[in-house]
Amino acid sequence: MITGANSGIGWEAALELARQGAEIILPARTEAKANDAIARIRAQVPNAKLIPEILDLADLNSVHAFAKRVAEMFPGQSLDLLINNAGVMAVPTRELTVDGYERQFATNYLGPFALTALLFWSIKPQPGSRIVTVSSGVSNQGKIEFDNLQSQRRYSPMWQAYAQSKLADLVFQQELQRRLTAMGSPILSTGAHPGYAITNLQTTGPGENVPFLMRFGMMILKPLASQDAAHGALPTLYAATAPEATPGGYYGPSGFQELKGYPVPAKITAAAKDVALAQRLWAESERLTGVSFGALSDAA
Ligand SMILES: NC(=O)c1ccc[n+]([C@@H]2O[C@H](COP(=O)([O-])OP(=O)(O)OC[C@H]3O[C@@H](n4cnc5c(N)ncnc54)[C@H](OP(=O)(O)O)[C@@H]3O)[C@@H](O)[C@H]2O)c1
């Protein structure tokens, strides 16, 4: 299952997995978007086994309803691969979701956290099972501010709110692996970031209001250091399928500043490896979402 598979990196990853014969649950925010993504994949892989679904990660009711449908979809079978890919970047002004959480933190982190917890028991503890979380190189600039998780104290679209949400993804991915290992589970928690890939991400969030610094940065970097979405999907595919991927492995592009290139182990900052911070964030995320990982929560 891949979230955000109707666009960009998620769609490219779904296309490649479909080519390899995977049966994929493909949720989008609307049925029309899911069906359109499926039609585009089937144009290249006519026999692709794809299941359209509806999921809004910024709405915890939607996450619960979706997870319930998925859990009941294949009774007795395992969900082999969960890829938490969907995201939104640099929403110009602070927006709140229906649950009252800041949109980027809710979409990029709290929704995927709750979804992973709710689907965790559908993923059989067997070799090959993986949970992949897509972070960002921008997470290196991020800071988890427990008194500002919802950007209530200060909001800056990219380097604070987006960076915090993507650091939270990486902190979660690392902590999930620690807890899986403590439980003796063979399920892998791996992570990836795509470098700088040209997708809808750069325009959907900011809309017409791309901040000047971001526009300037993109103007300089785009011709030199960006890649297409298909190449941007490679670290995700590596984290999802490579036999060489290690427990807790985090992968990104090999080139300058990890912006483009083929997948290699990516830099993980000290903040992303901070165990005390990870445990506090986990507990806070369970409180905010009202969703628990059960036995895995006690494995800290
Ligand atoms: N592209 C890059 O250079 C880059 C760099 C670093 C990290 N990333 C990460 O890579 C991931 C994929 O991004 P992308 O570049 O492929 O961007 P994209 O083309 O904009 O795709 C993002 C996907 O997430 C979905 N999404 C957004 N809000 C959602 C919500 N509330 N509920 C469910 N789905 C939602 C979008 O659906 P809609 O079509 O409905 O909006 C879309 O399918 C993100 O996590 C992003 O942070 C990308």
Side-chain angles (χ1 to χ4, degrees):
M1 205 271 285
I2 312 177
T3 63
N6 63 295
S7 173
I9 289 153
W11 185 84
E12 294 287 349
L15 172 65
E16 192 49 40
L17 291 170
R19 274 196 192 114
Q20 305 302 324
E23 185 169 15
I24 309 167
I25 302 166
L26 201 152
R29 282 197 272 189
T30 63
E31 202 179 337
K33 284 185 181 188
N35 286 333
D36 173 67
I38 286 178
R40 284 184 285 123
I41 293 175
R42 290 226 171 100
Q44 298 192 43
V45 188
N47 298 324
K49 289 173 274 178
L50 303 165
I51 301 156
E53 257 296 343
I54 297 176
L55 169 66
D56 183 350
L57 284 159
D59 176 350
L60 287 170
N61 278 337
S62 170
V63 174
H64 275 274
F66 169 73
K68 188 165 181 287
R69 290 194 299 275
V70 171
E72 289 166 356
M73 218 174 262
F74 299 105
Q77 289 192 50
S78 180
L79 178 66
D80 302 303
L81 181 59
L82 164 59
I83 304 184
N84 287 314
N85 160 78
V88 65
M89 178 179 83
V91 178
T93 52
R94 180 173 178 263
E95 286 177 18
L96 295 185
T97 66
V98 285
D99 303 306
Y101 299 137
E102 188 276 316
R103 178 165 299 283
Q104 297 189 75
F105 196 67
T107 308
N108 300 350
Y109 174 65
L110 286 178
F113 177 91
L115 182 65
T116 308
L118 292 166
L119 288 180
F120 185 67
W121 305 107
S122 301
I123 303 170
K124 284 198 178 155
Q126 58 193 19
S129 295
R130 291 191 193 182
I131 300 167
V132 180
T133 305
V134 178
S135 180
S136 165
V138 171
S139 69
N140 293 344
Q141 317 298 322
K143 207 169 160 215
I144 305 292
E145 299 177 307
F146 286 99
D147 64 344
N148 196 38
L149 287 182
Q150 309 309 331
S151 303
Q152 64 274 34
R153 192 165 47 70
R154 69 183 179 102
Y155 182 78
S156 145
M158 183 79 176
W159 303 109
Q160 175 264 323
Y162 179 70
Q164 172 168 255
S165 71
K166 299 313 280 187
L167 174 60
D169 285 334
L170 185 51
V171 168
F172 165 64
Q173 180 253 316
Q174 296 285 304
E175 178 63 12
L176 180 58
Q177 183 61 62
R178 281 191 287 274
R179 291 178 189 229
L180 288 166
T181 304
M183 266 179 78
S185 172
I187 300 172
L188 292 194
S189 166
T190 57
H193 81 83
Y196 179 11
I198 305 304
T199 65
N200 289 335
L201 192 76
Q202 293 86 22
T203 45
T204 305
E208 301 296 307
N209 307 312
V210 181
F212 172 75
L213 267 181
M214 202 172 130
R215 213 169 43 231
F216 185 68
M218 286 195 304
M219 209 172 71
I220 308 241
L221 285 178
K222 197 170 168 182
L224 298 171
S226 67
Q227 53 189 355
D228 60 21
H231 282 84
L234 291 178
T236 299
L237 286 166
Y238 190 96
T241 63
E244 299 81 8
T246 54
Y250 176 53
Y251 304 95
S254 56
F256 173 71
Q257 294 290 316
E258 301 184 0
L259 289 168
K260 66 190 247 190
Y262 288 93
V264 292
K267 175 180 163 186
I268 307 182
T269 58
K273 288 193 259 189
D274 183 331
V275 176
L277 179 143
Q279 292 185 351
R280 186 173 171 198
L281 181 64
W282 186 289
E284 186 61 6
S285 306
E286 287 192 332
R287 193 185 68 77
L288 291 170
T289 60
V291 177
S292 161
F293 274 84
L296 205 60
S297 292
D298 306 326

